[in-house]
Amino acid sequence: MDDIRTILARHGFSFKKKFGQNFLTDANLLGAIVRDAGVDGGTVLEIGAGAGALTRALSGAAARVLAYEIDSSLRPVLAETLSGCENVEVVFGDFLRADLAALEGELGEYRVVANLPYYVTTPVLMRFLEEAERCAGLTVMVQEEVALRFTAQPGTPDYGAVTAAIALKGEARITRRVPRTMFTPRPNVDSAIVRIDFERGRLPVVSEAAYRAVVRCAFAGRRKTLENNLMNAFRLPRERAREVLSEAGIADMVRGETLSPAGFARLADVLTARHVLT
Ligand code: SAM
């Protein structure tokens, strides 16, 4: 097969910035991503197939690959780059509009692999964190600073609502850094690959919605104490906010950004038990 750049040029393809089209071509890196994602048999849902270089690499290691691509002008390119990959199916459409429940019914258990534009990665990740039932985990290429946010420790500047949302469902780790020089065209940031493994019942909470509400409240005013944030978010008198914190085993002067995900879970359960949250 010709080089991806040659194929794209032959089809008169022009890169679209609005879709974050920075493609990978290096065979060693593509193989490393497939290994990092732990693809070994099984079903893969790839989001953002691009010119199909990663899709083709995934096809060699997976039993089945279902790939989404928003840009239908890539159809002839993908027909060429994926020719002979019998276990790959490409759906042209916006993944953010896909019916995830229906997709899961069809896929069974699967892993997600995605090299998406940075502004799409977080909404896509949140969909899997909040809605997915049969997803074993995600391996995503993200801007390096986003990778630090996904994997941050409590009390550090990178720790935030997304970190806590991930921690409710699984464990995230950076598997490798990817310099900007690996992409065509070259973006102006370096990237990293983050692997998130979902673990059923990892942080058991009575209500996931309550956990998310607590996390939102804790990071709403990063510089404020958790007590003040609880008072503002849930209209609690100071005395009641103190009682709730004490019942959850949390000191009153603590700031939300220093609380561990397990702390958010305890607090959510206390607020649920006291009918502040449902
Ligand atoms: N996977 C390829 C690779 O690694 O070379 C392409 C990566 S490129 C960074 C991201 C791809 O995602 C682009 O081809 C873009 O058109 C596609 N894309 C962007 N937003 C999308 C969405 N909402 N749904 C599906 N595909 C999307």
Side-chain angles (χ1 to χ4, degrees), residues 49-65:
L54 181 56
T55 321
R56 200 177 168 89
L58 289 165
S59 154
R64 177 182 178 194
V65 181

Side-chain angles (χ1 to χ4, degrees), residues 19-24 30 46-55 68-71 74 93-96 115-117 119-120:
F19 291 144
Q21 290 176 337
N22 304 96
F23 296 164
L24 297 173
L30 293 162
E46 190 200 2
I47 310 169
L54 181 56
T55 321
Y68 267 76
E69 173 51 57
I70 199 168
D71 183 0
L74 282 162
D94 180 352
F95 182 76
L96 286 171
N115 172 17
L116 277 167
Y119 56 86
V120 179

Side-chain angles (χ1 to χ4, degrees), residues 16-90:
K16 295 172 198 68
K17 221 177 172 162
K18 67 172 175 178
F19 291 144
Q21 290 176 337
N22 304 96
F23 296 164
L24 297 173
T25 53
D26 184 88
N28 289 331
L29 175 61
L30 293 162
I33 296 173
V34 173
R35 284 195 301 281
D36 286 359
V39 176
D40 189 7
T43 299
V44 173
L45 173 61
E46 190 200 2
I47 310 169
L54 181 56
T55 321
R56 200 177 168 89
L58 289 165
S59 154
R64 177 182 178 194
V65 181
L66 179 68
Y68 267 76
E69 173 51 57
I70 199 168
D71 183 0
S72 54
S73 78
L74 282 162
R75 196 184 287 272
V77 173
L78 284 165
E80 182 168 347
T81 57
L82 298 178
S83 75
C85 297
E86 302 296 336
N87 59 350
V88 176
E89 183 193 340
V90 182

Side-chain angles (χ1 to χ4, degrees), residues 119-213:
Y119 56 86
V120 179
T121 311
T122 303
V124 162
L125 172 62
M126 292 313 288
R127 274 204 86 177
F128 285 99
L129 291 173
E130 294 180 9
E131 297 171 37
E133 306 243 318
R134 312 200 68 177
C135 179
L138 297 91
T139 300
V140 288
M141 173 90 78
V142 286
Q143 197 170 329
E144 207 165 12
E145 63 185 65
V146 176
L148 296 176
R149 257 188 264 144
F150 285 2
T151 56
Q153 293 301 311
T156 63
D158 289 319
Y159 187 59
V162 178
T163 331
I166 293 172
L168 178 64
K169 292 297 173 75
E171 189 146 12
R173 63 190 166 86
I174 295 175
T175 58
R176 74 185 60 237
R177 317 251 165 189
V178 180
R180 64 194 78 184
T181 49
M182 301 306 284
F183 296 86
T184 304
R186 187 186 297 195
N188 49 19
V189 288
D190 293 319
S191 293
I193 293 166
V194 179
R195 173 170 167 163
I196 302 168
D197 287 303
F198 285 175
E199 215 180 285
R200 213 160 265 285
R202 179 163 197 267
L203 269 185
V205 284
V206 175
S207 155
E208 289 188 4
Y211 178 92
R212 286 194 280 273

Side-chain angles (χ1 to χ4, degrees), residues 106-124:
E106 201 230 307
L107 289 179
E109 175 142 330
Y110 63 97
R111 297 195 70 88
V112 173
V113 178
N115 172 17
L116 277 167
Y118 303 124
Y119 56 86
V120 179
T121 311
T122 303
V124 162

